[in-house]
Amino acid sequence: MTQAPVLVLGATSLVGRFALPRLTAAGVDHAPVSRCAEPGWIQADIETIDGRAALPPAETVLSLSPIWLLAEAIDTLKAGGLKRLIAFSSTSVATKAGSSNAYEQDVVAALARGEDAVRASGVDWTILRPTMIYAEGLDGNVSRLAGLARRFGVLPISGPGQGRRQPVHADDLAVAAVRALTAPASIHQTYALAGGETLSYRQMCERIFDGLGRRPRILSLPPGLWRAGLILASPVLPGATAQMGERMDRDLVFDDNAARRDLGWSPRDFRPSF
């Protein structure tokens, strides 16, 4: 890796909140990029032509932005001397591939488009695909469930909720990203980054109650009734879809042995504390 600063796209993202301190702790000089003006940061919006033009030259880029944004930005980055690229995608590219929801179909297509652009870039790339990301009080997955549990005292689930999950903490992802910068074995590789523990959706909900210091109260509903309830609860569940309920009894698990081998991946168990 070059001694020039690492350009960090998506510095204000969930993973970015943890990646910047991790880069500092590792002694990696870095230049955060944000659409908003931040002292010492580079103000640029890679979604726009003008924003991309504002990016400084960089040989190494850590992209924490949605990977589909790289499809448009990668030529600009290459013109600026890009040689090494670490990019975050998502396991949703696989888990939502068969979704009947139009929005989720668009997300899958966008993820695939971004990954294809990275692989075809001609630079030394690494793609990281996390499972369900959480960071207590900050994410829209686990923390949203915690908010509902705190507000209503119960979490309704569709069916028995036996589909297995591997929630992964954003700070662990930040560690993996920093390690990838200096891991030659990770060049031209795509890694699934799963949490340190595999547990059922129901067990995940129980752990959320534990993290709130409350006794777990899980209400298992027939799928049809859960979907009907979702319509009524839509004002407090923006973005929730019927397909989410369908997946509660489906395993969404991934093999992360390659990341453990090449990146020293060793994520924490799922023990959130709110």
Side-chain angles (χ1 to χ4, degrees):
M1 184 179 68
T2 180
Q3 295 302 308
V6 173
L7 196 65
V8 182
L9 307 179
T12 57
S13 66
L14 184 57
V15 177
R17 294 170 182 260
F18 297 92
L20 299 185
R22 289 290 183 179
L23 287 165
T24 299
V28 178
D29 191 12
H30 55 283
V33 177
S34 172
R35 289 176 294 183
C36 303
E38 295 283 348
W41 290 22
I42 297 163
Q43 187 174 8
D45 183 355
I46 65 171
E47 291 192 67
T48 68
I49 294 176
D50 290 342
R52 292 192 289 273
L55 295 174
E59 292 187 6
T60 304
V61 172
L62 172 57
S63 177
L64 310 174
S65 300
I67 196 170
W68 54 78
L69 298 181
L70 289 175
E72 300 295 334
I74 205 157
D75 286 341
T76 300
L77 294 170
K78 288 176 64 178
L82 176 65
K83 295 180 180 179
R84 181 76 173 105
L85 174 62
I86 314 295
F88 272 83
S89 182
S90 170
T91 53
S92 291
V93 73
T95 60
K96 296 180 181 177
S99 174
S100 59
N101 180 272
Y103 172 76
E104 292 185 347
Q105 290 175 0
D106 289 344
V107 169
V108 170
L111 289 169
R113 183 171 65 252
E115 289 192 2
D116 288 346
V118 169
R119 294 190 182 99
S121 64
V123 304
D124 291 339
W125 54 267
T126 300
I127 294 175
L128 305 177
R129 288 179 172 177
T131 52
M132 179 189 291
I133 306 174
Y134 75 97
E136 292 89 339
L138 299 173
D139 67 281
N141 298 311
V142 168
S143 294
R144 179 163 69 171
L145 291 174
L148 292 172
R150 183 185 289 114
R151 181 174 180 179
F152 299 109
V154 63
L155 282 177
I157 63 175
S158 176
Q162 292 304 304
R164 294 181 298 163
R165 297 293 187 272
Q166 299 165 310
V168 61
H169 200 283
D171 188 34
D172 292 332
L173 298 174
V175 171
V178 174
R179 287 179 178 170
L181 291 170
T182 54
S186 69
I187 293 174
H188 297 161
Q189 298 297 320
T190 299
Y191 296 102
L193 297 181
E197 195 171 12
T198 300
L199 63 171
S200 72
Y201 191 92
R202 185 185 187 94
Q203 288 174 319
M204 182 182 74
C205 291
E206 291 172 349
R207 293 283 181 86
I208 290 171
F209 275 100
D210 290 343
L212 291 167
R214 298 189 178 190
R215 182 174 63 85
R217 294 182 62 196
I218 313 296
L219 179 61
S220 182
L221 300 174
L225 184 57
W226 188 90
R227 287 193 296 270
L230 179 63
I231 297 173
L232 297 175
S234 57
V236 295
L237 287 172
T241 67
Q243 287 71 27
M244 292 179 181
E246 294 171 3
R247 287 191 288 267
M248 289 180 188
D249 277 318
R250 187 186 310 163
D251 288 346
L252 306 181
V253 295
F254 293 85
D255 183 351
D256 61 3
N257 282 327
R260 292 177 181 273
R261 180 192 66 224
D262 296 344
L263 303 175
W265 177 243
S266 183
R268 69 197 71 184
D269 287 348
F270 184 63
R271 300 282 179 182
S273 178
F274 298 94

